[in-house]
Amino acid sequence: MEAEKAGASLDSLIAGFNSRISELQELVIARNMFPASSLTDLTAVDAAVKAMELQVQAIKDRVRDETLAIPKAKKLIDASLKQQRKLKDMSIYAPTHVPERMSMLNLDTNRCLFPESSQQNTGSGMFKLEEDPGPPPPPKEKKGRSAPPLWFLSAEELDSLSSYMRGRLTLEKINAAINDMATYAEANYQLIAAPKKNVAGDRWEKALEIRDIGMHEAVKGKHFFLETDMKGPSLKLDNTGKAILTVLRHLGRVSESRIGHHRVIILLKPQ
């Protein structure tokens, strides 16, 4: 039995050597078949492999740089979002339309009240005042009289109102109406301060009424306008305009007084 096992192992070993010898012979034949091109092909493969290694390394470097930049990008995004929230909060306190009220209003009022003044005074450059035999002069105002106030509403004040009182009013609508009220009040002051000769004939009657109202104890020294002045663009004598006046009166921005047959709205400083 042992002799048979030893013979089988020897046969197996001989077969292994024969197989290896056959492989070596095939390799020698293959090398001899392509002696010139084999070296060139191996060189090209080596160059291609090295180029791929460089590309892979470049990709790794780019990925590492992008990974390092992610925290900076997150900080930048967070800062941008904070700035956006701040700007959004600030925009709540400003009306959607704020014209250059003082400059435009003075120009329009002068054109309306003084239609002939520019032609009459081009040579002298100043008005020559004449005595006005009409009604008593308007109440004297201190020099440097301030412009009508623009105390806009805040989101907190609007939210403090009941849903019934607030209705469909928005902060933008109310603040735009506040801007209109200041414009009306400034126009009335310009009308009070204008001398008779420089007021157009069709506006003289209103100027007399405004002067009489301005001398009333409840209005003297305050900015005011009439209910009939509410002609837009944002504040009009309609249901929305009346609702806005109700809200502003409740929040202490305006008060109302009945003088003669006029309903007078007085601008107040919020408490």
Side-chain angles (χ1 to χ4, degrees), residues 16-161:
F17 275 112
N18 291 333
S19 175
R20 183 59 177 167
I21 291 170
S22 298
E23 292 176 359
L24 292 174
Q25 288 176 346
E26 291 176 357
L27 290 174
V28 170
I29 293 172
R31 188 186 65 181
N32 292 333
M33 289 176 62
F34 308 99
S37 62
S38 59
L39 183 60
T40 304
D41 293 340
L42 291 176
T43 302
V45 170
D46 183 64
V49 171
K50 289 182 178 180
M52 292 179 64
E53 288 177 350
L54 293 175
Q55 291 181 356
V56 170
Q57 185 61 39
I59 294 173
K60 288 182 178 179
D61 294 340
R62 183 60 181 270
V63 171
R64 184 181 66 254
D65 294 340
E66 295 292 338
T67 303
L68 295 175
I70 288 175
K72 297 180 180 179
K74 288 182 177 179
K75 291 181 179 179
L76 180 60
I77 292 172
D78 293 339
S80 300
L81 292 175
K82 290 180 180 178
Q83 185 67 16
Q84 184 181 15
R85 287 193 293 268
K86 289 181 180 179
L87 293 174
K88 185 177 180 180
D89 294 339
M90 292 171 62
S91 66
I92 293 176
Y93 296 94
T96 55
H97 176 67
V98 183
E100 296 180 3
R101 179 169 55 83
M102 294 305 299
S103 59
M104 294 177 65
L105 178 62
N106 290 337
L107 180 59
D108 294 339
T109 305
N110 288 338
R111 288 177 178 174
C112 180
L113 299 181
F114 319 136
E116 299 177 357
S117 60
S118 60
Q119 297 178 359
Q120 295 175 352
N121 298 280
T122 53
S124 60
M126 59 183 297
F127 293 111
K128 182 180 178 181
L129 300 179
E130 296 180 355
E131 294 183 359
D132 185 359
K140 294 182 179 180
E141 297 285 347
K142 294 182 179 180
K143 292 184 178 180
R145 182 178 184 275
S146 61
L150 283 171
W151 289 303
F152 294 120
L153 216 63
S154 65
E156 290 76 10
E157 289 176 305
L158 184 61
D159 293 339
S160 68
L161 301 174

Side-chain angles (χ1 to χ4, degrees), residues 102-236:
M102 294 305 299
S103 59
M104 294 177 65
L105 178 62
N106 290 337
L107 180 59
D108 294 339
T109 305
N110 288 338
R111 288 177 178 174
C112 180
L113 299 181
F114 319 136
E116 299 177 357
S117 60
S118 60
Q119 297 178 359
Q120 295 175 352
N121 298 280
T122 53
S124 60
M126 59 183 297
F127 293 111
K128 182 180 178 181
L129 300 179
E130 296 180 355
E131 294 183 359
D132 185 359
K140 294 182 179 180
E141 297 285 347
K142 294 182 179 180
K143 292 184 178 180
R145 182 178 184 275
S146 61
L150 283 171
W151 289 303
F152 294 120
L153 216 63
S154 65
E156 290 76 10
E157 289 176 305
L158 184 61
D159 293 339
S160 68
L161 301 174
S162 63
S163 58
Y164 174 79
M165 179 176 291
R166 185 169 60 249
R168 295 184 178 180
L169 297 178
T170 63
L171 192 63
E172 290 76 12
K173 288 182 180 180
I174 297 175
N175 284 336
I178 291 175
N179 187 77
D180 282 358
M181 291 191 299
T183 302
Y184 304 152
E186 180 64 24
N188 286 335
Y189 170 71
Q190 295 286 348
L191 197 59
I192 290 174
K196 179 180 179 180
K197 64 174 296 183
N198 295 320
V199 178
D202 58 343
R203 294 181 60 83
W204 178 241
E205 184 177 352
K206 181 177 180 180
L208 296 179
E209 290 182 337
I210 293 296
R211 291 183 180 186
D212 290 340
I213 293 172
M215 296 177 65
H216 196 276
E217 190 64 29
V219 180
K220 186 180 295 184
K222 299 177 182 178
H223 299 281
F224 69 93
F225 65 94
L226 307 182
E227 185 181 53
T228 54
D229 293 330
M230 297 168 53
K231 299 178 181 179
S234 299
L235 183 61
K236 299 179 181 180

